[in-house]
Amino acid sequence: MVSVIAANIRNRRTQKALSELFDKADSSRDGKISIKEYVDMCETYGVELRDEDIREVLEIADEHGEVRKNDFILHIKNANLSKHFECADPESELHWNNLAVTAFKLFDKNYDGYIDKKEFRWMTSSERFSKKTIDIVFERCDLDGDGKLDYQEFKAMILRSKQRKEEIARKNGEILLVKKQIISRKGKKKRK
């Protein structure tokens, strides 16, 4: 029973990750990608395509050489290419879930299913962070106040890290856009 549930969860995560991947490649946002977009996406993620893979994509493409999302997902699953994309896309939810599971296992030195303060300190100790800072982070993550982090509390910490990184990237993108606008305005003033 548990293995069936786990397989269903894994399948849903894979479906979602592949859907997100397709949406990134779908530059026209019409629910289809061209063969070129497919090949470019594979190159971006370091997925080596065999001639057979390209032939299979050509077979599922419509008369305009475009592939619909559902056909794309089915093809990636059937060709066993999904594992290549999942581990390569640092933005995917699957990547962050795998990161959380792996990190939790590393932190949980005694394999009791929890990370206590000692384990947390051991894994985060460095010259960059003081013991006090590490303790504060631990306390913020210990949502139920029991002195140990369960997997859900730990995963929430990892996902907050992801959100902070995304927010920084968004702000950096906005700053670059403003700089480009300023440079563009200066260029227009000089031409007048």
Side-chain angles (χ1 to χ4, degrees):
M1 180 69 171
V2 173
S3 62
V4 172
I5 293 170
N8 285 338
I9 291 170
R10 229 181 355 264
N11 189 35
R12 276 189 253 134
R13 285 183 183 158
T14 300
Q15 185 86 10
K16 183 175 181 185
L18 292 174
S19 180
E20 290 172 1
L21 184 67
F22 181 91
D23 291 341
K24 288 178 188 176
D26 183 12
S27 57
S28 61
R29 303 286 178 247
D30 64 352
K32 298 177 184 178
I33 59 171
S34 67
I35 302 297
K36 182 184 179 334
E37 287 172 318
Y38 174 80
V39 171
D40 289 347
M41 174 188 56
C42 290
E43 286 176 4
T44 298
Y45 288 97
V47 176
E48 292 184 33
L49 292 174
R50 301 168 299 166
D51 290 339
E52 180 185 332
D53 295 322
I54 294 174
R55 270 194 304 280
E56 288 173 2
V57 172
L58 287 169
E59 288 175 14
I60 62 171
D62 64 15
E63 64 273 5
H64 304 289
E66 294 184 316
V67 179
R68 292 187 337 252
K69 183 188 277 191
N70 289 339
D71 294 333
F72 164 81
I73 292 171
L74 189 60
H75 163 71
I76 295 296
K77 285 181 175 180
N78 290 341
N80 288 322
L81 292 172
S82 60
K83 62 182 175 263
H84 298 291
F85 289 107
E86 291 166 357
C87 64
D89 185 2
E91 296 175 25
S92 75
E93 186 176 323
L94 185 63
H95 168 81
W96 283 91
N97 284 328
N98 289 342
L99 179 68
V101 167
T102 302
F104 188 83
K105 288 177 181 177
L106 287 172
F107 275 68
D108 184 16
K109 291 309 230 180
N110 63 4
Y111 308 107
D112 66 351
Y114 296 96
I115 298 170
D116 62 29
K117 203 176 259 192
K118 182 180 175 184
E119 290 169 320
F120 192 79
R121 266 195 222 116
W122 179 78
M123 288 300 291
T124 56
S125 64
S126 74
E127 295 174 8
R128 291 178 54 196
F129 304 108
S130 69
K131 184 178 175 186
K132 183 179 179 180
T133 300
I134 293 168
D135 288 344
I136 290 170
V137 170
F138 183 87
E139 288 170 18
R140 286 183 182 163
C141 295
D142 183 14
L143 301 175
D144 60 8
D146 65 355
K148 54 190 176 183
L149 303 181
D150 62 22
Y151 174 72
Q152 293 305 321
E153 291 169 322
F154 184 81
K155 181 179 172 185
M157 176 187 71
I158 297 290
L159 294 179
R160 279 193 301 274
S161 172
K162 174 189 178 216
Q163 290 168 343
R164 280 193 300 274
K165 287 179 180 185
E166 289 172 344
E167 182 65 21
I168 289 168
R170 187 185 62 75
K171 285 181 181 177
N172 287 341
E174 290 173 0
I175 290 169
L176 287 174
L177 181 62
V178 169
K179 285 181 180 178
K180 286 180 183 178
Q181 290 171 343
I182 291 170
I183 291 169
S184 176
R185 286 186 205 136
K186 286 181 180 178
K188 288 178 183 177
K189 287 181 182 178
K190 286 182 181 178
R191 284 184 249 154
K192 289 182 181 182

